[in-house]
Amino acid sequence: MNTESVNLDASHPLASGLTADSRLIRAYQGTRTDVTPVWFMRQAGRSLPEYRELRVGTRMLDACLDPEMASEITLQPVRRHHVDAGIFFSDIVVPLKLVGVDVEIVAGKGPVLGKAVRTATDVAELTSLDPATLDSALAPISQAVARTVAELGATPLIGFAGAPFTLAAYLVEGGPSKDHIHARTLMHAEPEAWARLMEWTANVTGRFLRAQVLAGASAAQLFDSWAGALSLADYAKYVAPASAAAIAHVRDLSYTERAYAEYRQDEAADTESVNRSVPIVHFGVGTGELLAAMHGIGADVVGVDYRIPLDEANRRLGGTVPLQGNVDPAMLAAPWPVLEAHVLDVLERGRTAPSHVLNLGHGVPPDTDPDVLTRLVDLVHEAGGAASGDTASGAAASVGSVAGVARG
C-alpha cells in the first residue's frame, strides 16, 4: 500500500465536512462529546421485521451484492433507532466470494466453504487467486455505499471487514468452528504456508475495506471474531502483522478539515485546517488479553466485548485509547430496570477513557425486541457524555419515565 497520504475526494462526507464534526467521528478521534454516540453491531438485519420482509426469497450473499437492497437494509436501523452511525450491511466473506472462492452462507450455520484449506498445497492453490481482481469486482459494494451515504446525510457510515485471522480460520476450518483447531495447527505446522495465507487474506479484506471508504464510509472497523482463540504470543507473531497490513489499505486515506474551536478549545482554531486520517476501529471477541496488541496494529479505537469492564480495558490500554462497547447482548432481553442499570454502568466506566462510543459487546441477537434498542438509544442520548454519574442517572430516570409512558 501507499506510504504517503492519499486525500479523499472533495465530495467524500469527511472531506466535505458533512460527517467530520459528527459525534461518532469526534469520539473516534478521542474527543469526549456532549452526548455519548451509540450504534450496535449487527443493528442492520435479522432483528428487524422490515429486514426479514425484504429478505424473503433472497439469499444472504445475493442481498449483499444487490446495491439497492444492501443500502436499504443498512438504512433501516438508522431510521428506526436514530443511532449515531450506520454500519454497512454486508458479510466478511463477500470479498472471498468475489475473488473466486467457493463459499456460501448457510442459514442457521454461517459461511461454509466448498473446500477446506488444510495443507501448503491448498494454500498455494487458494493464493493463486489474484486479489487485484477485486478492484473491479467490488463495484456493487461501492455502489451500495454511495447510495447509502447519499441517504444518510450527516450521519456517518462505518465500513467493515473481517480481520485476516478470522477469514483464514473460516478457510482452514471449512466453516464455523468452536476452537479453530485446524487453523491453529496450520499456523504452527506450516508457518510459511500460514504466512502466505495471512498475507493473501490481508490483501483481500483490506481491498474490501478500502473500497467502502473510498465510496463514502466515514470510518472503518476490522472485526476479528475468532482472535480470542489465540494466545498473546501467537497473536503477536502470526496474526498482528497481517491485521496491520489489512488496515494499511485504509491507513493512508486522509482528508483536510477546518479545526473547530468548540472542540479544540483553541481561539484560533476556526481559521486553521488540520489533516486527519479515516478513523479505524479494531474489535475482537474474547480478546481481553490481546487489547494492547490489537491497538498496536495501528487502530485508533479499540472495541471491547462484554467479558471485561471498560475501566479495566482502559487500564490495560494505558488510558489513552478511545473505546467502543460493551453492553452485554444478553441484557437486551432482561427487564428494563436491569438493562438500564447495566447501560448506565457501562457509560460510567466508559468515562474513564479519553472518549467512548457505546455499543454492544457483540452483535444484536436475532430475537431482540427492536423497541428495546430504540429505548436504549434514547437512554444513552439523554444521559449525556460528561463525566458525571449524577447527571447520567438523572437523565436516565427522566428517559425511563418518558419511555415508559410512550412505549408501555
Side-chain angles (χ1 to χ4, degrees):
M1 292 305 299
N2 295 325
T3 56
E4 296 182 358
S5 179
V6 176
N7 285 333
L8 295 171
D9 186 86
S11 63
H12 190 283
L14 287 173
S16 70
L18 190 60
T19 61
D21 197 35
S22 64
R23 293 170 183 162
L24 181 90
I25 299 304
R26 289 301 177 198
Y28 279 168
Q29 291 168 344
T31 297
R32 183 159 291 280
T33 54
D34 57 341
V35 172
T36 300
V38 53
W39 68 277
F40 307 111
M41 286 183 283
R42 290 182 177 167
Q43 67 186 18
R46 54 194 187 176
S47 68
L48 299 182
E50 55 265 43
Y51 164 80
R52 294 192 293 270
E53 181 180 351
L54 183 64
R55 272 285 314 280
V56 171
T58 305
R59 295 186 302 177
M60 176 63 176
L61 289 180
D62 290 339
C64 293
L65 294 172
D66 181 326
E68 183 176 359
M69 183 174 290
S71 177
E72 170 59 20
I73 294 170
T74 302
L75 293 166
Q76 286 175 347
V78 181
R79 296 191 196 107
R80 177 187 276 263
H81 303 312
H82 305 293
V83 285
D84 292 292
I87 178 71
F88 183 57
F89 176 79
S90 191
D91 192 271
I92 64 171
V93 302
V94 163
L96 296 181
K97 182 76 171 180
L98 292 178
V99 82
V101 175
D102 180 9
V103 58
E104 292 296 337
I105 297 179
V106 178
K109 186 172 183 180
V112 175
L113 283 296
K115 176 184 177 182
V117 179
R118 298 280 174 85
T119 67
T121 300
D122 293 337
V123 171
E125 180 182 348
L126 174 71
T127 56
S128 68
L129 300 173
D130 185 3
T133 61
L134 286 171
D135 292 346
S136 58
L138 286 169
I141 301 302
S142 299
Q143 292 166 17
V145 169
R147 291 178 67 103
T148 306
V149 167
E151 292 290 331
L152 283 174
T155 300
L157 177 69
I158 302 169
F160 89 101
F165 175 74
T166 289
L167 287 186
Y170 276 121
L171 288 164
V172 177
E173 301 294 340
S177 167
K178 292 182 178 180
D179 55 14
H180 317 290
I181 190 70
H182 295 294
R184 291 188 289 123
T185 296
L186 181 65
M187 179 189 297
H188 293 284
E190 299 278 3
E192 292 183 1
W194 177 260
R196 289 195 300 273
L197 175 61
M198 291 296 282
E199 179 183 8
W200 185 85
T201 56
N203 198 352
V204 167
T205 205
R207 288 173 183 269
F208 180 49
L209 196 58
R210 185 181 181 89
Q212 294 170 61
V213 174
L214 289 177
S218 294
Q221 177 158 307
L222 192 71
F223 286 76
D224 214 344
S225 303
W226 308 133
L230 301 170
S231 69
L232 177 57
D234 283 351
Y235 178 85
K237 181 176 181 179
Y238 296 107
V239 173
S243 293
I247 66 169
H249 286 260
V250 175
R251 186 77 281 171
D252 66 321
L253 299 178
S254 65
Y255 63 101
T256 301
E257 69 165 16
R258 292 172 63 87
Y260 293 88
E262 61 185 297
Y263 286 103
R264 292 171 58 88
Q265 298 179 345
D266 180 349
E267 292 181 357
D270 59 347
T271 62
E272 295 177 355
S273 293
V274 292
N275 194 61
R276 297 193 183 277
S277 57
V278 175
I280 298 173
V281 186
H282 195 14
F283 171 76
V285 179
T287 52
E289 300 303 317
L290 310 180
L291 292 179
M294 291 175 67
H295 177 244
I297 70 166
D300 302 297
V301 183
V302 172
V304 183
D305 82 352
Y306 57 88
R307 291 170 175 83
I308 63 170
L310 289 183
D311 51 350
E312 173 60 16
N314 181 59
R315 186 192 67 79
R316 295 184 186 189
L317 288 163
T320 61
V321 181
L323 298 182
Q324 180 173 280
N326 66 341
V327 172
D328 186 344
M331 292 288 192
L332 296 176
W336 174 254
V338 175
L339 173 59
E340 179 185 55
H342 175 59
V343 171
L344 292 177
D345 181 66
V346 169
L347 286 171
E348 195 63 31
R349 294 177 187 276
R351 290 185 178 99
T352 63
S355 58
H356 174 216
V357 174
L358 191 121
N359 207 308
L360 301 181
H362 204 182
V364 175
D367 58 352
T368 299
D369 180 351
D371 289 343
V372 170
L373 294 177
T374 304
R375 190 174 180 183
L376 195 160
V377 172
D378 290 343
L379 169 63
V380 174
H381 284 166
E382 290 294 330
S388 169
D390 291 339
T391 299
S393 298
S398 174
V399 170
S401 61
V402 172
V405 171
R407 300 189 179 92

